[in-house]
Amino acid sequence: MDLHKEDDRGSAKQKKVKIVFVIGGPGSGKGTQCKRIAQQFGYTHLSVGEILRQEISSGSETGSMIQKIMKEGKLVPSDVTVRLLQQAMQGINSDKFLIDGFPRNEENVKAFEDLTKMEPEFVLYLDCPQDEMEKRLLSRNEGREDDNVETIRKRFKVFMESTLPTIEYYESKGKIRKVDAGKSVDEVFESIKVIFSQGKDYNKVPPSRHKCKCLIL
Ligand SMILES: Nc1ncnc2c1ncn2[C@@H]1O[C@H](COP(=O)(O)OP(=O)(O)OP(=O)(O)O)[C@@H](O)[C@H]1O
Ligand SMILES: Nc1ccn([C@@H]2O[C@H](COP(=O)(O)O)[C@@H](O)[C@H]2O)c(=O)n1
Ligand SMILES: [Mg+2]
C-alpha cells in the first residue's frame, strides 16, 4: 500500500504504518474490545464486517452479492474484501490501524499481503468458548441478519474450518497474542491492556501449545 507523508522540508518519505489484526470467533467480543483499544491506545478501528455492511447499504451490485454471502454465514471473496479494506485505509490519515474481523481465511491473508505488501505488527486473538459466543450473539439485538441460530452455527463452522488455520499461520511467525475472551468485558480488557502496553514479545503462544476452546457443532 502506498502510504506517504511529507516531512518538514517537504520531501516525501515512507510513512511507517502499524497494523494490528483482531480475530476471534463470532461474538468473541472483537468490536467491543476494539472500541476500548482504539480509545485508550490511539488506534483507528476498522471493522471489516462493518465495511462490508456499508457496501450493502450503498445499494451496489457488489453489495447485493455480499448480502447473500453474509446471510449464509460464508466469507466474501478476498479480492472484494481487501479492495474495500484498502480503500477505507487510504481514506484515513492514521499510522495505527486496528483491523477487526480480518483475516478470516488464508485467501484473505494472501490477498492482503499481495495488495498492500504489509504485515501486521501482531494478531490479537480473542479465544472464547462457543456456548458463551452463541449466548452473546443471541442477545446482541443489533438487528443483524446473520444473528440467528442457523446462521450463527454456520459462522462457527467457517471459523473452525477457515479462520483457525490463519491463527496457526501467524502463530508460526510468533505473531499471535491470545487472551481468554470468555471473561467479563473489563477483565478481557485488562489482559489486552497488558499486551498493548508492553513490548511485542508479551504473551506469545508457543506454536505447540495453542488450543482453541471452540467446539465443532
Ligand atoms: N466479555 C463479554 N462478556 C459479555 N458480553 C460481551 C462481552 N464482550 C462482548 N459482549 C457482548 O456480546 C455481543 C457480541 O460482542 P461483539 O459485537 O463485540 O462481538 P464480535 O466478536 O465483534 O462479533 P461479530 O464477529 O459477530 O461481529 C455484544 O452484544 C456485546 O455487548
Ligand atoms: N474478513 C471478513 C470479514 C467479514 N466477512 C463477512 O462479514 C460477516 C460479518 O463479519 P463480522 O466481523 O461483523 O462478524 C462475516 O460472517 C462474513 O460473511 C468476510 O467475508 N470476511
Ligand atoms: Mg464485530
Side-chain angles (χ1 to χ4, degrees):
M1 183 183 304
D2 258 356
L3 287 164
H4 292 89
K5 71 174 179 188
E6 301 280 307
D7 69 14
D8 291 346
R9 291 177 303 278
S11 58
K13 68 174 182 187
Q14 192 74 35
K15 184 179 179 183
K16 177 87 179 99
V17 175
K18 185 170 174 174
I19 291 177
V20 174
F21 290 151
V22 181
I23 52 184
S28 56
K30 299 180 292 298
T32 304
Q33 297 297 335
C34 281
K35 284 195 192 87
R36 289 187 168 207
I37 299 165
Q39 200 176 23
Q40 181 139 351
F41 295 97
Y43 279 78
T44 298
H45 172 204
L46 287 177
S47 156
V48 173
E50 210 45 59
I51 290 170
L52 295 171
R53 282 185 284 276
Q54 279 166 16
E55 186 64 25
I56 296 175
S57 302
S58 77
S60 69
E61 265 182 43
T62 305
S64 46
M65 178 268 284
I66 293 171
Q67 188 171 27
K68 285 187 199 116
I69 294 172
M70 261 197 202
K71 264 190 193 167
E72 280 300 306
K74 294 184 178 159
L75 296 177
V76 173
S78 299
D79 55 333
V80 174
T81 305
V82 173
R83 179 177 52 80
L84 292 171
L85 172 60
Q86 190 186 32
Q87 280 170 9
M89 290 174 75
Q90 284 172 336
I92 299 168
N93 184 19
S94 174
D95 56 3
K96 280 161 86 177
F97 287 98
L98 194 57
I99 303 188
D100 159 3
F102 187 92
R104 295 286 242 270
N105 61 10
E106 285 168 338
E107 192 193 65
N108 273 185
V109 174
K110 185 161 181 358
F112 187 85
E113 287 178 354
D114 288 351
L115 198 66
T116 69
K117 315 286 178 217
M118 295 174 85
E119 279 212 19
E121 196 84 359
F122 62 88
V123 179
L124 177 65
Y125 169 32
L126 302 188
D127 187 23
C128 191
Q130 191 166 297
D131 54 352
E132 172 66 18
M133 295 194 283
E134 183 167 307
K135 201 173 70 187
R136 291 179 189 175
L137 291 177
L138 290 173
S139 54
R140 178 155 59 177
N141 256 334
E142 285 178 3
R144 274 180 55 166
E145 278 191 302
D146 54 354
D147 277 353
N148 57 78
V149 172
E150 198 189 338
T151 312
I152 286 169
R153 292 194 175 170
K154 287 181 183 164
R155 288 158 68 200
F156 287 151
K157 193 163 184 286
V158 168
F159 175 71
M160 296 296 295
E161 290 175 358
S162 303
T163 310
L164 282 183
T166 71
I167 294 170
E168 274 150 27
Y169 168 73
Y170 285 116
E171 221 174 75
S172 72
K173 296 178 132 227
K175 291 201 173 203
I176 289 290
R177 308 289 181 270
K178 182 166 85 160
V179 296
D180 178 356
K183 298 181 179 169
S184 73
V185 172
D186 286 345
E187 284 172 316
V188 178
F189 190 57
E190 283 306 310
S191 315
I192 289 175
K193 273 201 298 200
V194 178
I195 294 171
F196 279 82
S197 304
Q198 297 196 352
K200 60 183 179 179
D201 287 337
Y202 177 77
N203 202 23
K204 269 186 193 170
V205 182
S208 58
R209 293 195 24 216
H210 167 69
K211 286 260 183 317
C212 175
K213 289 185 180 162
C214 302
L215 305 165
I216 298 179
L217 289 165

